Amino acid sequence: MASKVSLKAGKGKVVKKSAAADEEEGSLAVAAKFVKEWSTWTMKKAKVITHYGFIPMVIIIGMNSEPKPSLSQLLSPV
């Protein structure tokens, strides 16, 4: 049978924390949550921009290259 892990605070040495330490840990947790949410939001937006912007970017770069091709020459498979 699998043993259950207990995370009770009553075992071991008890260490008292000051109010400033609790406040600092709380602010760090809030900052970590903010960074995680912001990075997730940023990555989702970057994925959408990359998905819909890659082909138009290739066409624009191709049209600005030398020799200057027409749009039909850029889009034709030959």
Side-chain angles (χ1 to χ4, degrees), residues 39-71:
S39 63
T40 302
W41 179 85
T42 305
M43 291 306 291
K44 284 181 180 179
K45 296 299 179 188
K47 181 180 176 183
V48 170
I49 290 168
T50 304
H51 181 80
Y52 290 108
F54 183 74
I55 298 297
M57 181 189 70
V58 169
I59 292 171
I60 290 170
I61 290 173
M63 290 183 76
N64 291 329
S65 65
E66 290 293 330
K68 298 264 186 202
S70 68
L71 186 60

PDB file of all heavy atoms in Angstrom, residues 39-71:
ATOM      1  N   SER A  39       3.721  36.909 -18.651  1.00  0.00           N
ATOM      2  CA  SER A  39       4.465  36.140 -19.648  1.00  0.00           C
ATOM      3  C   SER A  39       3.534  35.216 -20.432  1.00  0.00           C
ATOM      4  O   SER A  39       3.717  35.039 -21.643  1.00  0.00           O
ATOM      5  CB  SER A  39       5.600  35.349 -18.991  1.00  0.00           C
ATOM      6  OG  SER A  39       5.081  34.398 -18.093  1.00  0.00           O
ATOM      7  N   THR A  40       2.531  34.653 -19.772  1.00  0.00           N
ATOM      8  CA  THR A  40       1.570  33.802 -20.469  1.00  0.00           C
ATOM      9  C   THR A  40       0.789  34.630 -21.486  1.00  0.00           C
ATOM     10  O   THR A  40       0.608  34.214 -22.637  1.00  0.00           O
ATOM     11  CB  THR A  40       0.607  33.148 -19.466  1.00  0.00           C
ATOM     12  OG1 THR A  40       1.364  32.394 -18.521  1.00  0.00           O
ATOM     13  CG2 THR A  40      -0.380  32.242 -20.168  1.00  0.00           C
ATOM     14  N   TRP A  41       0.331  35.809 -21.089  1.00  0.00           N
ATOM     15  CA  TRP A  41      -0.418  36.690 -21.981  1.00  0.00           C
ATOM     16  C   TRP A  41       0.446  37.086 -23.175  1.00  0.00           C
ATOM     17  O   TRP A  41       0.005  37.062 -24.326  1.00  0.00           O
ATOM     18  CB  TRP A  41      -0.873  37.936 -21.210  1.00  0.00           C
ATOM     19  CG  TRP A  41      -1.637  38.915 -22.037  1.00  0.00           C
ATOM     20  CD1 TRP A  41      -2.963  38.897 -22.306  1.00  0.00           C
ATOM     21  CD2 TRP A  41      -1.100  40.060 -22.722  1.00  0.00           C
ATOM     22  NE1 TRP A  41      -3.297  39.969 -23.103  1.00  0.00           N
ATOM     23  CE2 TRP A  41      -2.173  40.700 -23.369  1.00  0.00           C
ATOM     24  CE3 TRP A  41       0.172  40.600 -22.816  1.00  0.00           C
ATOM     25  CZ2 TRP A  41      -2.000  41.847 -24.123  1.00  0.00           C
ATOM     26  CZ3 TRP A  41       0.337  41.747 -23.575  1.00  0.00           C
ATOM     27  CH2 TRP A  41      -0.737  42.358 -24.213  1.00  0.00           C
ATOM     28  N   THR A  42       1.714  37.426 -22.911  1.00  0.00           N
ATOM     29  CA  THR A  42       2.628  37.844 -23.967  1.00  0.00           C
ATOM     30  C   THR A  42       2.879  36.716 -24.964  1.00  0.00           C
ATOM     31  O   THR A  42       2.881  36.943 -26.178  1.00  0.00           O
ATOM     32  CB  THR A  42       3.969  38.313 -23.363  1.00  0.00           C
ATOM     33  OG1 THR A  42       3.701  39.343 -22.409  1.00  0.00           O
ATOM     34  CG2 THR A  42       4.911  38.818 -24.422  1.00  0.00           C
ATOM     35  N   MET A  43       3.078  35.513 -24.466  1.00  0.00           N
ATOM     36  CA  MET A  43       3.342  34.379 -25.354  1.00  0.00           C
ATOM     37  C   MET A  43       2.131  34.051 -26.216  1.00  0.00           C
ATOM     38  O   MET A  43       2.264  33.691 -27.392  1.00  0.00           O
ATOM     39  CB  MET A  43       3.784  33.154 -24.549  1.00  0.00           C
ATOM     40  CG  MET A  43       5.151  33.312 -23.917  1.00  0.00           C
ATOM     41  SD  MET A  43       6.441  33.755 -25.090  1.00  0.00           S
ATOM     42  CE  MET A  43       6.553  32.264 -26.026  1.00  0.00           C
ATOM     43  N   LYS A  44       0.927  34.154 -25.648  1.00  0.00           N
ATOM     44  CA  LYS A  44      -0.285  33.911 -26.442  1.00  0.00           C
ATOM     45  C   LYS A  44      -0.404  34.929 -27.571  1.00  0.00           C
ATOM     46  O   LYS A  44      -0.727  34.580 -28.712  1.00  0.00           O
ATOM     47  CB  LYS A  44      -1.523  33.972 -25.549  1.00  0.00           C
ATOM     48  CG  LYS A  44      -1.710  32.751 -24.686  1.00  0.00           C
ATOM     49  CD  LYS A  44      -2.965  32.864 -23.848  1.00  0.00           C
ATOM     50  CE  LYS A  44      -3.153  31.648 -22.974  1.00  0.00           C
ATOM     51  NZ  LYS A  44      -4.357  31.753 -22.140  1.00  0.00           N
ATOM     52  N   LYS A  45      -0.148  36.205 -27.263  1.00  0.00           N
ATOM     53  CA  LYS A  45      -0.231  37.251 -28.289  1.00  0.00           C
ATOM     54  C   LYS A  45       0.856  37.050 -29.341  1.00  0.00           C
ATOM     55  O   LYS A  45       0.610  37.227 -30.539  1.00  0.00           O
ATOM     56  CB  LYS A  45      -0.100  38.641 -27.660  1.00  0.00           C
ATOM     57  CG  LYS A  45      -1.216  38.984 -26.712  1.00  0.00           C
ATOM     58  CD  LYS A  45      -2.556  38.990 -27.400  1.00  0.00           C
ATOM     59  CE  LYS A  45      -3.647  39.313 -26.409  1.00  0.00           C
ATOM     60  NZ  LYS A  45      -4.973  39.162 -26.930  1.00  0.00           N
ATOM     61  N   ALA A  46       2.064  36.690 -28.935  1.00  0.00           N
ATOM     62  CA  ALA A  46       3.158  36.465 -29.878  1.00  0.00           C
ATOM     63  C   ALA A  46       2.850  35.300 -30.807  1.00  0.00           C
ATOM     64  O   ALA A  46       3.175  35.341 -32.004  1.00  0.00           O
ATOM     65  CB  ALA A  46       4.460  36.216 -29.126  1.00  0.00           C
ATOM     66  N   LYS A  47       2.194  34.273 -30.289  1.00  0.00           N
ATOM     67  CA  LYS A  47       1.828  33.116 -31.109  1.00  0.00           C
ATOM     68  C   LYS A  47       0.842  33.521 -32.197  1.00  0.00           C
ATOM     69  O   LYS A  47       0.982  33.128 -33.363  1.00  0.00           O
ATOM     70  CB  LYS A  47       1.231  32.030 -30.221  1.00  0.00           C
ATOM     71  CG  LYS A  47       0.841  30.782 -30.949  1.00  0.00           C
ATOM     72  CD  LYS A  47       0.258  29.749 -29.995  1.00  0.00           C
ATOM     73  CE  LYS A  47      -0.234  28.536 -30.736  1.00  0.00           C
ATOM     74  NZ  LYS A  47      -0.865  27.565 -29.832  1.00  0.00           N
ATOM     75  N   VAL A  48      -0.154  34.331 -31.843  1.00  0.00           N
ATOM     76  CA  VAL A  48      -1.155  34.780 -32.814  1.00  0.00           C
ATOM     77  C   VAL A  48      -0.507  35.684 -33.856  1.00  0.00           C
ATOM     78  O   VAL A  48      -0.762  35.542 -35.060  1.00  0.00           O
ATOM     79  CB  VAL A  48      -2.320  35.497 -32.091  1.00  0.00           C
ATOM     80  CG1 VAL A  48      -3.243  36.175 -33.081  1.00  0.00           C
ATOM     81  CG2 VAL A  48      -3.086  34.512 -31.235  1.00  0.00           C
ATOM     82  N   ILE A  49       0.341  36.613 -33.416  1.00  0.00           N
ATOM     83  CA  ILE A  49       1.008  37.526 -34.345  1.00  0.00           C
ATOM     84  C   ILE A  49       1.891  36.751 -35.316  1.00  0.00           C
ATOM     85  O   ILE A  49       1.889  37.014 -36.524  1.00  0.00           O
ATOM     86  CB  ILE A  49       1.823  38.581 -33.573  1.00  0.00           C
ATOM     87  CG1 ILE A  49       0.868  39.540 -32.863  1.00  0.00           C
ATOM     88  CG2 ILE A  49       2.777  39.325 -34.488  1.00  0.00           C
ATOM     89  CD1 ILE A  49       1.537  40.440 -31.849  1.00  0.00           C
ATOM     90  N   THR A  50       2.627  35.777 -34.814  1.00  0.00           N
ATOM     91  CA  THR A  50       3.492  34.966 -35.667  1.00  0.00           C
ATOM     92  C   THR A  50       2.670  34.140 -36.649  1.00  0.00           C
ATOM     93  O   THR A  50       3.016  34.031 -37.821  1.00  0.00           O
ATOM     94  CB  THR A  50       4.379  34.034 -34.810  1.00  0.00           C
ATOM     95  OG1 THR A  50       5.116  34.829 -33.888  1.00  0.00           O
ATOM     96  CG2 THR A  50       5.328  33.242 -35.661  1.00  0.00           C
ATOM     97  N   HIS A  51       1.557  33.587 -36.167  1.00  0.00           N
ATOM     98  CA  HIS A  51       0.718  32.737 -37.009  1.00  0.00           C
ATOM     99  C   HIS A  51       0.164  33.515 -38.196  1.00  0.00           C
ATOM    100  O   HIS A  51       0.193  33.026 -39.327  1.00  0.00           O
ATOM    101  CB  HIS A  51      -0.430  32.161 -36.168  1.00  0.00           C
ATOM    102  CG  HIS A  51      -1.328  31.249 -36.926  1.00  0.00           C
ATOM    103  ND1 HIS A  51      -1.007  29.940 -37.184  1.00  0.00           N
ATOM    104  CD2 HIS A  51      -2.547  31.461 -37.484  1.00  0.00           C
ATOM    105  CE1 HIS A  51      -1.982  29.384 -37.867  1.00  0.00           C
ATOM    106  NE2 HIS A  51      -2.933  30.282 -38.062  1.00  0.00           N
ATOM    107  N   TYR A  52      -0.371  34.697 -37.953  1.00  0.00           N
ATOM    108  CA  TYR A  52      -1.011  35.459 -39.014  1.00  0.00           C
ATOM    109  C   TYR A  52      -0.070  36.428 -39.724  1.00  0.00           C
ATOM    110  O   TYR A  52      -0.424  36.970 -40.766  1.00  0.00           O
ATOM    111  CB  TYR A  52      -2.213  36.233 -38.463  1.00  0.00           C
ATOM    112  CG  TYR A  52      -3.352  35.315 -38.097  1.00  0.00           C
ATOM    113  CD1 TYR A  52      -3.670  35.078 -36.768  1.00  0.00           C
ATOM    114  CD2 TYR A  52      -4.082  34.666 -39.071  1.00  0.00           C
ATOM    115  CE1 TYR A  52      -4.705  34.227 -36.425  1.00  0.00           C
ATOM    116  CE2 TYR A  52      -5.115  33.808 -38.744  1.00  0.00           C
ATOM    117  CZ  TYR A  52      -5.419  33.603 -37.417  1.00  0.00           C
ATOM    118  OH  TYR A  52      -6.437  32.752 -37.092  1.00  0.00           O
ATOM    119  N   GLY A  53       1.113  36.660 -39.214  1.00  0.00           N
ATOM    120  CA  GLY A  53       1.996  37.648 -39.809  1.00  0.00           C
ATOM    121  C   GLY A  53       3.179  37.114 -40.575  1.00  0.00           C
ATOM    122  O   GLY A  53       3.852  37.873 -41.264  1.00  0.00           O
ATOM    123  N   PHE A  54       3.439  35.825 -40.528  1.00  0.00           N
ATOM    124  CA  PHE A  54       4.653  35.290 -41.149  1.00  0.00           C
ATOM    125  C   PHE A  54       4.605  35.370 -42.672  1.00  0.00           C
ATOM    126  O   PHE A  54       5.531  35.892 -43.302  1.00  0.00           O
ATOM    127  CB  PHE A  54       4.894  33.847 -40.711  1.00  0.00           C
ATOM    128  CG  PHE A  54       6.163  33.263 -41.255  1.00  0.00           C
ATOM    129  CD1 PHE A  54       7.378  33.660 -40.745  1.00  0.00           C
ATOM    130  CD2 PHE A  54       6.144  32.353 -42.294  1.00  0.00           C
ATOM    131  CE1 PHE A  54       8.561  33.149 -41.241  1.00  0.00           C
ATOM    132  CE2 PHE A  54       7.320  31.836 -42.807  1.00  0.00           C
ATOM    133  CZ  PHE A  54       8.529  32.235 -42.282  1.00  0.00           C
ATOM    134  N   ILE A  55       3.544  34.868 -43.295  1.00  0.00           N
ATOM    135  CA  ILE A  55       3.442  34.864 -44.760  1.00  0.00           C
ATOM    136  C   ILE A  55       3.409  36.292 -45.312  1.00  0.00           C
ATOM    137  O   ILE A  55       4.141  36.591 -46.269  1.00  0.00           O
ATOM    138  CB  ILE A  55       2.222  34.043 -45.229  1.00  0.00           C
ATOM    139  CG1 ILE A  55       2.371  32.584 -44.784  1.00  0.00           C
ATOM    140  CG2 ILE A  55       2.023  34.145 -46.735  1.00  0.00           C
ATOM    141  CD1 ILE A  55       3.554  31.857 -45.381  1.00  0.00           C
ATOM    142  N   PRO A  56       2.592  37.211 -44.751  1.00  0.00           N
ATOM    143  CA  PRO A  56       2.662  38.589 -45.262  1.00  0.00           C
ATOM    144  C   PRO A  56       4.050  39.212 -45.121  1.00  0.00           C
ATOM    145  O   PRO A  56       4.490  39.960 -46.005  1.00  0.00           O
ATOM    146  CB  PRO A  56       1.636  39.343 -44.402  1.00  0.00           C
ATOM    147  CG  PRO A  56       0.680  38.300 -43.967  1.00  0.00           C
ATOM    148  CD  PRO A  56       1.499  37.065 -43.796  1.00  0.00           C
ATOM    149  N   MET A  57       4.766  38.893 -44.059  1.00  0.00           N
ATOM    150  CA  MET A  57       6.116  39.419 -43.884  1.00  0.00           C
ATOM    151  C   MET A  57       7.046  38.894 -44.981  1.00  0.00           C
ATOM    152  O   MET A  57       7.839  39.647 -45.548  1.00  0.00           O
ATOM    153  CB  MET A  57       6.675  39.031 -42.514  1.00  0.00           C
ATOM    154  CG  MET A  57       8.072  39.564 -42.246  1.00  0.00           C
ATOM    155  SD  MET A  57       8.815  38.905 -40.766  1.00  0.00           S
ATOM    156  CE  MET A  57       9.094  37.205 -41.251  1.00  0.00           C
ATOM    157  N   VAL A  58       6.934  37.618 -45.326  1.00  0.00           N
ATOM    158  CA  VAL A  58       7.769  37.037 -46.387  1.00  0.00           C
ATOM    159  C   VAL A  58       7.456  37.703 -47.725  1.00  0.00           C
ATOM    160  O   VAL A  58       8.364  38.018 -48.509  1.00  0.00           O
ATOM    161  CB  VAL A  58       7.559  35.508 -46.456  1.00  0.00           C
ATOM    162  CG1 VAL A  58       8.189  34.918 -47.702  1.00  0.00           C
ATOM    163  CG2 VAL A  58       8.108  34.840 -45.210  1.00  0.00           C
ATOM    164  N   ILE A  59       6.174  37.955 -47.991  1.00  0.00           N
ATOM    165  CA  ILE A  59       5.789  38.611 -49.250  1.00  0.00           C
ATOM    166  C   ILE A  59       6.345  40.029 -49.307  1.00  0.00           C
ATOM    167  O   ILE A  59       6.890  40.457 -50.333  1.00  0.00           O
ATOM    168  CB  ILE A  59       4.254  38.590 -49.413  1.00  0.00           C
ATOM    169  CG1 ILE A  59       3.784  37.152 -49.632  1.00  0.00           C
ATOM    170  CG2 ILE A  59       3.814  39.496 -50.560  1.00  0.00           C
ATOM    171  CD1 ILE A  59       2.290  36.977 -49.604  1.00  0.00           C
ATOM    172  N   ILE A  60       6.241  40.767 -48.202  1.00  0.00           N
ATOM    173  CA  ILE A  60       6.747  42.146 -48.180  1.00  0.00           C
ATOM    174  C   ILE A  60       8.256  42.177 -48.354  1.00  0.00           C
ATOM    175  O   ILE A  60       8.794  42.992 -49.113  1.00  0.00           O
ATOM    176  CB  ILE A  60       6.319  42.844 -46.871  1.00  0.00           C
ATOM    177  CG1 ILE A  60       4.812  43.083 -46.894  1.00  0.00           C
ATOM    178  CG2 ILE A  60       7.074  44.147 -46.679  1.00  0.00           C
ATOM    179  CD1 ILE A  60       4.242  43.538 -45.579  1.00  0.00           C
ATOM    180  N   ILE A  61       8.961  41.275 -47.696  1.00  0.00           N
ATOM    181  CA  ILE A  61      10.419  41.219 -47.856  1.00  0.00           C
ATOM    182  C   ILE A  61      10.776  40.847 -49.290  1.00  0.00           C
ATOM    183  O   ILE A  61      11.693  41.410 -49.891  1.00  0.00           O
ATOM    184  CB  ILE A  61      11.039  40.231 -46.847  1.00  0.00           C
ATOM    185  CG1 ILE A  61      10.933  40.802 -45.435  1.00  0.00           C
ATOM    186  CG2 ILE A  61      12.496  39.936 -47.200  1.00  0.00           C
ATOM    187  CD1 ILE A  61      11.348  39.841 -44.350  1.00  0.00           C
ATOM    188  N   GLY A  62      10.028  39.927 -49.888  1.00  0.00           N
ATOM    189  CA  GLY A  62      10.275  39.535 -51.283  1.00  0.00           C
ATOM    190  C   GLY A  62      10.025  40.659 -52.248  1.00  0.00           C
ATOM    191  O   GLY A  62      10.752  40.824 -53.241  1.00  0.00           O
ATOM    192  N   MET A  63       9.003  41.473 -51.992  1.00  0.00           N
ATOM    193  CA  MET A  63       8.700  42.585 -52.899  1.00  0.00           C
ATOM    194  C   MET A  63       9.729  43.696 -52.787  1.00  0.00           C
ATOM    195  O   MET A  63       9.894  44.487 -53.717  1.00  0.00           O
ATOM    196  CB  MET A  63       7.300  43.130 -52.617  1.00  0.00           C
ATOM    197  CG  MET A  63       6.197  42.169 -53.022  1.00  0.00           C
ATOM    198  SD  MET A  63       4.569  42.840 -52.775  1.00  0.00           S
ATOM    199  CE  MET A  63       4.452  43.957 -54.145  1.00  0.00           C
ATOM    200  N   ASN A  64      10.409  43.803 -51.655  1.00  0.00           N
ATOM    201  CA  ASN A  64      11.400  44.861 -51.473  1.00  0.00           C
ATOM    202  C   ASN A  64      12.817  44.425 -51.845  1.00  0.00           C
ATOM    203  O   ASN A  64      13.761  45.174 -51.646  1.00  0.00           O
ATOM    204  CB  ASN A  64      11.375  45.357 -50.024  1.00  0.00           C
ATOM    205  CG  ASN A  64      10.105  46.099 -49.711  1.00  0.00           C
ATOM    206  OD1 ASN A  64       9.525  46.737 -50.579  1.00  0.00           O
ATOM    207  ND2 ASN A  64       9.662  46.020 -48.473  1.00  0.00           N
ATOM    208  N   SER A  65      12.965  43.221 -52.366  1.00  0.00           N
ATOM    209  CA  SER A  65      14.298  42.728 -52.707  1.00  0.00           C
ATOM    210  C   SER A  65      14.631  43.091 -54.161  1.00  0.00           C
ATOM    211  O   SER A  65      13.774  43.502 -54.933  1.00  0.00           O
ATOM    212  CB  SER A  65      14.365  41.215 -52.515  1.00  0.00           C
ATOM    213  OG  SER A  65      13.507  40.573 -53.427  1.00  0.00           O
ATOM    214  N   GLU A  66      15.878  42.929 -54.521  1.00  0.00           N
ATOM    215  CA  GLU A  66      16.319  43.170 -55.905  1.00  0.00           C
ATOM    216  C   GLU A  66      16.446  41.838 -56.594  1.00  0.00           C
ATOM    217  O   GLU A  66      16.968  40.894 -56.010  1.00  0.00           O
ATOM    218  CB  GLU A  66      17.664  43.894 -55.916  1.00  0.00           C
ATOM    219  CG  GLU A  66      17.594  45.320 -55.438  1.00  0.00           C
ATOM    220  CD  GLU A  66      16.810  46.238 -56.365  1.00  0.00           C
ATOM    221  OE1 GLU A  66      16.798  45.972 -57.589  1.00  0.00           O
ATOM    222  OE2 GLU A  66      16.211  47.183 -55.873  1.00  0.00           O
ATOM    223  N   PRO A  67      16.080  41.640 -57.817  1.00  0.00           N
ATOM    224  CA  PRO A  67      15.274  42.507 -58.667  1.00  0.00           C
ATOM    225  C   PRO A  67      13.834  42.553 -58.155  1.00  0.00           C
ATOM    226  O   PRO A  67      13.353  41.609 -57.536  1.00  0.00           O
ATOM    227  CB  PRO A  67      15.348  41.853 -60.041  1.00  0.00           C
ATOM    228  CG  PRO A  67      15.541  40.407 -59.750  1.00  0.00           C
ATOM    229  CD  PRO A  67      16.357  40.368 -58.482  1.00  0.00           C
ATOM    230  N   LYS A  68      13.134  43.633 -58.449  1.00  0.00           N
ATOM    231  CA  LYS A  68      11.777  43.840 -57.937  1.00  0.00           C
ATOM    232  C   LYS A  68      10.791  42.953 -58.698  1.00  0.00           C
ATOM    233  O   LYS A  68      10.473  43.213 -59.845  1.00  0.00           O
ATOM    234  CB  LYS A  68      11.359  45.302 -58.102  1.00  0.00           C
ATOM    235  CG  LYS A  68      12.216  46.267 -57.350  1.00  0.00           C
ATOM    236  CD  LYS A  68      11.572  46.568 -56.055  1.00  0.00           C
ATOM    237  CE  LYS A  68      12.396  47.662 -55.364  1.00  0.00           C
ATOM    238  NZ  LYS A  68      12.192  47.692 -53.981  1.00  0.00           N
ATOM    239  N   PRO A  69      10.282  41.902 -58.049  1.00  0.00           N
ATOM    240  CA  PRO A  69       9.291  41.047 -58.729  1.00  0.00           C
ATOM    241  C   PRO A  69       7.882  41.647 -58.566  1.00  0.00           C
ATOM    242  O   PRO A  69       7.613  42.401 -57.647  1.00  0.00           O
ATOM    243  CB  PRO A  69       9.392  39.715 -57.983  1.00  0.00           C
ATOM    244  CG  PRO A  69       9.827  40.114 -56.612  1.00  0.00           C
ATOM    245  CD  PRO A  69      10.696  41.327 -56.772  1.00  0.00           C
ATOM    246  N   SER A  70       7.002  41.260 -59.464  1.00  0.00           N
ATOM    247  CA  SER A  70       5.598  41.663 -59.307  1.00  0.00           C
ATOM    248  C   SER A  70       4.945  40.704 -58.310  1.00  0.00           C
ATOM    249  O   SER A  70       5.478  39.644 -57.993  1.00  0.00           O
ATOM    250  CB  SER A  70       4.879  41.631 -60.661  1.00  0.00           C
ATOM    251  OG  SER A  70       4.777  40.285 -61.099  1.00  0.00           O
ATOM    252  N   LEU A  71       3.773  41.077 -57.848  1.00  0.00           N
ATOM    253  CA  LEU A  71       3.064  40.252 -56.873  1.00  0.00           C
ATOM    254  C   LEU A  71       2.720  38.881 -57.451  1.00  0.00           C
ATOM    255  O   LEU A  71       2.821  37.870 -56.768  1.00  0.00           O
ATOM    256  CB  LEU A  71       1.795  40.963 -56.392  1.00  0.00           C
ATOM    257  CG  LEU A  71       1.023  40.293 -55.275  1.00  0.00           C
ATOM    258  CD1 LEU A  71       1.888  40.146 -54.032  1.00  0.00           C
ATOM    259  CD2 LEU A  71      -0.243  41.053 -54.953  1.00  0.00           C
TER     260      LEU A  71
END
